[in-house]
Amino acid sequence: MTPTQVVAIDGPSGAGKSTVARQLAQRLGFGFLDTGAMYRAVTWHFLQAGCAPAECADSQEQGVARMRVALAAARLELVAGRVVMNGRDVTPHLRTREVESQVSAVSALSFVRAAMRDLQRTVAASGPVVAEGRDMGSVVFPQARWKVYLDAAPSERARRRSEDFARQGRTVSEADVLEEILVRDRLDSTRSDAPLRQAEDALYVDSTGLTTESVVAQLFAFVQADERGQADARGVVVS
Ligand code: DC
């Protein structure tokens, strides 16, 4: 049985999931689970070990064996909003272009997904969480009480991503970001294991043209409405 006190938020790159999920978690007093950061940390770890997919493309079998060994030696922790790999805070390294260019290939590996899924369920078993990613509502938390699919037009997602890069002091054109986003969307939604897709029972939210505040407010109301419904059914009044 997977944990149910979960707000599962899925959607494509740049739809604003991280920002929205973090703020929603804060407002609800729930934990926050950024599962993209987990895949990024594993990718960083593989790069450090010299066995990321592009580095072992000449011998796939050997590459997979080396990645399995590296994964077995990876102790991944999420501590107060930081991502810690084998005792080292790797948060500042998760959004580099090296990690970004390899993370879709790493997240397509079933043995990596199985390890991340177990860790994600363990985290959610210790208390209510807002979990964001690609397969939260469809695979990892099929029993989640709240499911959301957060989308936005590709051009808007590219604009937001290039603003993020600018804040990090990196200049990347919107056209380049758009191209990368479309490649990542294709890889993430066509892989065989847990491809990006909207869970049937998810609320679809298109954030194109909306502010973060209004999306957070909409999702907060969605969670509260259900809490109220459940409380009413038990004869409890939630103010
Ligand atoms: O959300 P993000 O950009 O930080 O995600 C990084 C990559 O990890 C992205 O290419 C898709 C993958 N990912 C995944 O496959 N499953 C998740 N639950 C979260 C992210």
Side-chain angles (χ1 to χ4, degrees):
M1 195 65 166
T2 59
T4 56
Q5 284 300 93
V6 173
V7 184
I9 304 182
D10 292 308
S13 308
K17 297 185 303 292
S18 291
T19 315
V20 164
R22 184 176 286 110
Q23 292 186 16
L24 179 66
Q26 213 164 23
R27 215 162 142 182
L28 290 166
F30 284 18
F32 168 51
L33 187 54
D34 176 351
T35 61
M38 296 169 72
Y39 285 100
R40 287 169 183 270
V42 171
T43 304
W44 176 87
H45 178 67
F46 287 170
L47 282 162
Q48 291 296 108
C51 64
E55 294 169 308
C56 19
D58 44 341
S59 169
Q60 228 189 355
E61 214 173 293
Q62 225 178 37
V64 167
R66 289 182 60 205
M67 282 188 269
R68 280 184 184 276
V69 170
L71 187 64
R75 193 166 41 84
L76 180 59
E77 295 165 290
L78 306 168
V79 189
R82 314 297 295 177
V83 183
V84 178
M85 176 63 82
N86 292 336
R88 175 173 171 187
D89 181 359
V90 296
T91 319
H93 305 290
L94 302 183
R95 298 201 167 262
T96 60
R97 284 199 109 171
E98 293 74 38
V99 167
E100 229 142 68
S101 68
Q102 294 291 294
V103 68
S104 279
V106 169
S107 62
L109 298 164
S110 291
F111 64 93
V112 173
R113 299 206 72 82
M116 295 302 104
R117 187 191 58 220
D118 291 351
L119 189 52
Q120 289 152 11
R121 287 181 180 164
T122 302
V123 171
S126 66
V129 289
V130 178
E132 65 100 342
R134 303 292 188 288
D135 58 345
M136 297 295 98
S138 53
V139 174
V140 181
F141 302 114
Q143 319 284 347
R145 189 158 153 197
W146 305 275
K147 294 184 188 179
V148 176
Y149 189 87
L150 188 59
D151 204 358
S155 55
E156 172 125 350
R157 296 194 277 126
R159 187 182 55 72
R160 290 178 189 163
R161 266 303 227 246
S162 57
E163 282 173 7
D164 281 350
F165 288 143
R167 269 192 292 275
Q168 295 164 25
R170 289 162 55 187
T171 314
V172 191
S173 76
E174 262 180 55
D176 285 352
V177 179
L178 179 60
E179 203 177 302
E180 282 173 20
I181 276 183
L182 295 177
V183 168
R184 214 124 72 78
D185 283 356
R186 189 174 46 74
L187 293 172
D188 294 342
S189 44
T190 55
R191 66 179 175 226
S192 56
D193 191 356
L196 166 67
R197 68 175 171 80
Q198 181 182 346
E200 266 172 31
D201 47 353
L203 171 75
Y204 179 85
V205 176
D206 183 347
S207 70
T208 310
L210 300 180
T211 61
T212 302
E213 295 70 40
S214 67
V215 177
V216 172
Q218 189 179 341
L219 300 193
F220 184 74
F222 171 60
V223 172
Q224 290 282 95
D226 181 51
E227 294 244 294
R228 198 166 282 120
Q230 299 266 334
D232 285 350
R234 292 192 306 264
V236 181
V237 178
V238 178
S239 59

